[in-house]
Amino acid sequence: MLGRRDQLSVKNPDEIRRMRAAGLVVAAALAAVEAAAVAGTTTAALDALARDVIREHGARPSFPEVPGYRHTLCVSVNEQVVHGIPGSRALRDGDLVSVDCGAILDGWHGDAAISIHVGGPAAARREDRALSEATRAALWAGLAAFRVGARLNDVGGAVEDAVQEQRDRHGLDFGIVEGYTGHGIGRAMHEEPDVYNYRVKGRTATVRSGATVAIEPMVTLGSPETSVLADDWTVVTVDGSAAAHWEHTVAATDAGIWVLTALDGGAAELTARGAPYGPLE
């Protein structure tokens, strides 16, 4: 995801509607996975479920089209940040599981991620609940900042500020993972530019009507330092602290903001934050 130039291409309304259709497939797959993520279920079983849901909707998974990767999901458990490979690992009550999913429908991509407490919030540690809540809040702060006329750096700034606010609220030392970013999205899953989860120096692109990106903060319960396991995919925290990952695909429209992978298009969360909700329906 690194190295793409700082540009924001735009899609026309019909193309954004097609991306919305792909986004709803991703939302359906993640909803099915969340319901099935109970103690004893393997991460491979979640992967197979998501694949089946995506295919039932007439779409195909995005991730197997990434060179070297063959799974529908990335499933990252506890200290795993992103890119966890599904396999024989059985989930346990209290696990914090981040699930990333992408789908292609009629040539257009949707990409989203959620973090799940296995056994429900009551089974989770207090600090893990706070971590997921903080990461989700940071995601929605970033989404609310993605509006026509804003700078892309406003998104990273909003994410960073939200994480700091959550640090103060919970009295926990959350870390924002660097080196892994959000990205443009459309005909390809990863398009220009990188979408950082913190402020960066220099001038960044202006958000134009029709711009589409995936915003995806990754936050840890300790040091933000990470390493990659021997499988060359799974990213873990160096200090073994838990991590959470939330993501949505979003479009900026003349009317406001449309979260393409949220079932309600982001209406509830955006309205609660005083941000303009701008669907093309």
Side-chain angles (χ1 to χ4, degrees), residues 43 46 69 73-77 80 83-86 97-100:
T43 55
L46 298 181
Y69 201 80
L73 301 175
C74 294
V75 185
S76 307
V77 184
Q80 298 175 352
H83 303 166
I85 299 175
V97 184
S98 296
V99 181
D100 195 353

Side-chain angles (χ1 to χ4, degrees), residues 139-147 250-251 256-260 262 264-279:
L139 167 62
W140 281 100
L143 293 166
F146 189 73
R147 59 183 75 186
V250 60
I257 303 159
W258 197 14
V259 184
L260 305 179
D264 72 343
E269 293 285 353
L270 293 171
T271 300
R273 288 165 171 76
Y277 173 54

Side-chain angles (χ1 to χ4, degrees), residues 152-205:
L152 197 56
N153 205 22
D154 295 337
V155 172
V159 170
E160 182 177 350
D161 289 347
V163 172
Q164 182 58 59
E165 180 181 330
Q166 293 292 318
R167 287 189 188 110
D168 296 341
R169 176 184 175 189
H170 293 287
L172 294 169
D173 189 23
F174 299 129
I176 300 174
V177 174
E178 299 185 10
Y180 300 91
T181 68
H183 49 89
I185 186 171
R187 284 282 189 184
M189 183 170 66
H190 292 137
E191 296 184 345
E192 299 170 351
D194 297 319
V195 182
Y196 291 92
N197 294 310
Y198 44 86
R199 289 180 179 85
V200 296
K201 293 181 179 179
R203 187 180 181 88
T204 57

Side-chain angles (χ1 to χ4, degrees), residues 26-198:
V26 173
L30 286 174
V33 167
E34 183 172 21
V38 298
T41 301
T42 65
T43 55
L46 298 181
D47 189 69
L49 174 62
R51 179 197 62 213
D52 290 346
V53 171
I54 290 170
R55 289 178 176 174
E56 287 166 3
H57 283 79
R60 68 184 193 273
S62 299
F63 295 176
E65 302 191 9
V66 175
Y69 201 80
R70 60 184 181 86
H71 302 278
T72 295
L73 301 175
C74 294
V75 185
S76 307
V77 184
N78 297 328
E79 78 285 354
Q80 298 175 352
V81 182
V82 286
H83 303 166
I85 299 175
S88 61
R89 180 172 185 166
L91 301 179
R92 300 182 298 176
D93 282 338
D95 281 342
L96 177 57
V97 184
S98 296
V99 181
D100 195 353
C101 180
I104 311 166
L105 182 64
D106 296 331
W108 295 94
H109 287 257
D111 189 10
I114 60 174
S115 288
I116 302 165
H117 299 295
V118 179
R125 300 185 304 166
R126 179 193 71 85
E127 54 267 42
D128 286 349
R129 292 195 301 270
L131 171 64
S132 183
E133 177 185 331
T135 310
R136 185 177 182 276
L139 167 62
W140 281 100
L143 293 166
F146 189 73
R147 59 183 75 186
V148 174
R151 290 284 183 183
L152 197 56
N153 205 22
D154 295 337
V155 172
V159 170
E160 182 177 350
D161 289 347
V163 172
Q164 182 58 59
E165 180 181 330
Q166 293 292 318
R167 287 189 188 110
D168 296 341
R169 176 184 175 189
H170 293 287
L172 294 169
D173 189 23
F174 299 129
I176 300 174
V177 174
E178 299 185 10
Y180 300 91
T181 68
H183 49 89
I185 186 171
R187 284 282 189 184
M189 183 170 66
H190 292 137
E191 296 184 345
E192 299 170 351
D194 297 319
V195 182
Y196 291 92
N197 294 310
Y198 44 86

